[in-house]
Amino acid sequence: MYLTKEVKSEIFAKHGGKAENTGSAEGQIALFTFRINHLTGHLKNNRHDYNTERSLVKLVGKRKSLLDYLKKKDINRYREIIKELGIRK
């Protein structure tokens, strides 16, 4: 499995403050970005995997919702996470 417990805790430690802070918007956005990048690579090799494509679209929508929330709450945190993760906006 590509997303192990150690990888998750590393993502949340880097972006969410602590490894236990799994509810922070930045941590969730970073986790979704990691999963989106993995699914994008999978779809490059398996073009006809429509279920994965649907999952990817749903993940992008969830990440967009979290980014909109963060933009509304604190624009500086939003700009920081966009720059850090390299997300186009």
Side-chain angles (χ1 to χ4, degrees):
M1 184 167 181
Y2 74 99
L3 191 59
T4 61
K5 196 175 197 179
E6 292 80 23
V7 172
K8 264 188 179 181
S9 63
E10 180 183 317
I11 289 171
F12 284 117
K14 184 176 179 187
H15 299 284
K18 291 189 284 186
E20 296 85 26
N21 191 6
T22 59
S24 69
E26 289 92 344
Q28 290 290 319
I29 291 168
L31 181 66
F32 287 159
T33 302
F34 180 81
R35 291 175 63 195
I36 287 168
N37 291 338
H38 175 75
L39 290 178
T40 302
H42 171 78
L43 283 174
K44 285 181 181 175
N45 296 329
N46 305 290
R47 290 181 301 153
H48 298 292
D49 189 354
Y50 300 115
N51 291 324
T52 302
E53 186 177 353
R54 182 173 187 270
S55 298
L56 177 65
V57 169
K58 288 183 79 159
L59 267 178
V60 170
K62 283 183 181 182
R63 184 179 71 179
K64 184 179 183 324
S65 297
L66 275 174
L67 285 169
D68 290 343
Y69 165 78
L70 197 58
K71 186 187 224 180
K72 189 169 40 173
K73 286 302 235 185
D74 189 358
I75 191 72
N76 293 327
R77 284 171 51 196
Y78 167 79
R79 288 179 181 150
E80 188 177 308
I81 195 75
I82 289 291
K83 187 185 302 181
E84 194 172 324
L85 295 174
I87 299 172
R88 294 181 298 152
K89 226 17 190 162

